[in-house]
Amino acid sequence: MLRRRLTLKGCGIPTSIWARLFIVVALLEVFAIICIEGYVIKRTVDIYKNGTESQWGFGLQNDSNKMSITQESFIVYDVIFIVAQLFLLMLCWEAVAHKNTIQIIAATLFNVMCLVYSLIQYTTFYIHPSTSAGIFQKDNDMRILLITTMVVYSLCSVAFAVLTWELYQMFGWKTYKKLGANLALRRAYKWHQILLTLLKLDIFFFIAYSVQLATLVLRVSDPETWVQIGVVIPGSVVFLVLSFWALKVEKKRLMIVVIGCLGCSPAYFIYKLVRMNVGIDKNNDPYLDTRKYLTFFVVVTLALVLVTVYVSVQCYRNFGIGLKEAIADYDACKAQLKANRAMLNNTSGRNSMTESRYEYTDVHERFVLD
């Protein structure tokens, strides 16, 4: 039995230097941000080490204004950074492996959003410090770490922008031309891929918003907290998974439900946006330390939902034109070509493997669906 080494090509990454640089930048950023945020969490725990227990089991309590000044607020933000990096790596890897120009652009924009989030964090700590963040004012190590985070995101955003342009020039809309010469199918497939990317972003931002709301604003004794954790978050995940399924199998009735629910959700986000920023009692402000973060997530999620509704309508209008069948036929042919290639590689040796690789590539690029 032949042993196969784990390589970038074996994981679906093209041999192009630009594609591999895109993945390398993503990996370096993930490593840097996880290391930085891990140390930020350690610094936060050290600073709060002598504090009184908070409602979630650790942190400080400020009895003078009955507001919790807790370390979990800052730890949640840091964990979101780490999860965002893993999510970004998944977006980048999948986009490059499938030569998906739309998702490559989305990954670049997502990295810019992470940069904005890091700017909000630094502002909350040192420019317009909140009540809780005042404890870090004299901590130069924390200041350096937050500045380093912004620098890393800034440099990687520039790198992603340059590489995205190069990959766009290389891939173009090749992926969307593989369904044949039918322009209607090509346009439908573009909308299909845009909606898939938007749903992935919706999942991340809505879950991140819900986790922040449930752990940082709502109280343990508040039933809404457990409704948010036990019902809203898993329910949203199930709903968005059903959205993926409705799109894939072209279920019109289910897609109508998806569009209807998404169309109603902006009312909730607008309500939360107003509630967080208008008519708040300064002496009992539950959003005192989280307003900037939650406002950012609400605004981004609201924008994504509105765009998702519009794109969902476009995809619904394309149901029944043959896109589902064309994608299934193309995937089946692609799988068969890969199986044939693997069989030739296992039986022919290195020289034959090299020849079959070029033959396969030629067939793969020339294959279209009528």
Side-chain angles (χ1 to χ4, degrees), residues 87-348:
F87 178 75
L88 176 64
L89 180 61
M90 181 274 293
L91 284 180
C92 293
W93 199 287
E94 186 182 31
V96 172
H98 293 91
K99 300 180 181 180
N100 187 336
T101 310
I102 291 171
Q103 192 161 312
I104 289 172
I105 296 172
T108 302
L109 294 176
F110 182 82
N111 196 74
V112 174
M113 293 179 193
C114 291
L115 171 60
V116 174
Y117 192 75
S118 68
L119 291 171
I120 293 174
Q121 187 182 43
Y122 184 81
T123 300
T124 304
F125 272 54
Y126 292 107
I127 298 179
H128 300 292
S130 62
T131 301
S132 299
I135 196 171
F136 298 107
Q137 283 293 296
K138 296 181 180 180
D139 192 322
N140 290 326
D141 286 349
M142 185 69 76
R143 184 189 296 269
I144 292 172
L145 288 170
L146 297 185
I147 292 175
T148 304
T149 301
M150 292 187 293
V151 170
V152 170
Y153 275 125
S154 299
L155 294 176
C156 290
S157 294
V158 173
F160 277 131
V162 173
L163 292 171
T164 296
W165 174 252
E166 294 293 341
L167 291 174
Y168 175 81
Q169 297 297 312
M170 180 182 302
F171 297 156
W173 300 106
K174 183 187 297 183
T175 301
Y176 313 104
K177 295 178 181 177
K178 290 180 180 178
L179 297 182
N182 190 322
L183 293 178
L185 279 181
R186 290 188 190 180
R187 286 193 294 267
Y189 191 53
K190 285 182 187 178
W191 287 117
H192 178 93
Q193 292 298 96
I194 291 172
L195 183 55
L196 286 177
T197 302
L198 285 171
L199 288 173
K200 294 170 189 175
L201 295 173
D202 288 340
I203 288 176
F204 173 82
F205 277 98
F206 190 79
I207 291 179
Y209 161 76
S210 298
V211 168
Q212 290 179 85
L213 182 66
T215 57
L216 305 181
V217 176
L218 303 176
R219 301 295 179 183
V220 175
S221 58
D222 190 345
E224 185 181 352
T225 303
W226 303 108
V227 171
Q228 193 80 21
I229 295 175
V231 179
V232 175
I233 295 177
S236 301
V237 174
V238 171
F239 171 75
L240 291 171
V241 169
L242 288 176
S243 303
F244 280 106
W245 184 69
L247 178 64
K248 181 178 180 179
V249 301
E250 296 189 357
K251 289 289 185 180
K252 289 190 173 182
R253 292 182 179 177
L254 184 56
M255 183 57 75
I256 290 175
V257 173
V258 168
I259 294 172
C261 292
L262 288 174
C264 294
S265 60
Y268 166 78
F269 289 112
I270 292 173
Y271 162 75
K272 294 300 293 186
L273 193 62
V274 173
R275 185 179 178 184
M276 285 189 296
N277 294 279
V278 178
I280 299 294
D281 183 4
K282 294 183 179 180
N283 295 322
N284 187 24
D285 186 356
Y287 304 98
L288 182 64
D289 299 309
T290 59
R291 180 174 289 105
K292 294 177 182 178
Y293 300 98
L294 287 177
T295 299
F296 170 76
F297 270 90
V298 168
V299 170
V300 172
T301 307
L302 176 60
L304 283 172
V305 167
L306 292 174
V307 176
T308 303
V309 170
Y310 174 77
V311 177
S312 298
V313 172
Q314 298 301 317
C315 289
Y316 175 82
R317 294 173 60 186
N318 291 324
F319 283 0
I321 68 172
L323 178 62
K324 179 178 69 173
E325 294 75 15
I327 293 174
D329 290 343
Y330 175 75
D331 288 342
C333 185
K334 184 177 178 181
Q336 184 60 50
L337 287 171
K338 286 186 176 181
N340 293 342
R341 176 186 176 186
M343 182 178 64
L344 288 173
N345 288 345
N346 289 333
T347 58
S348 302

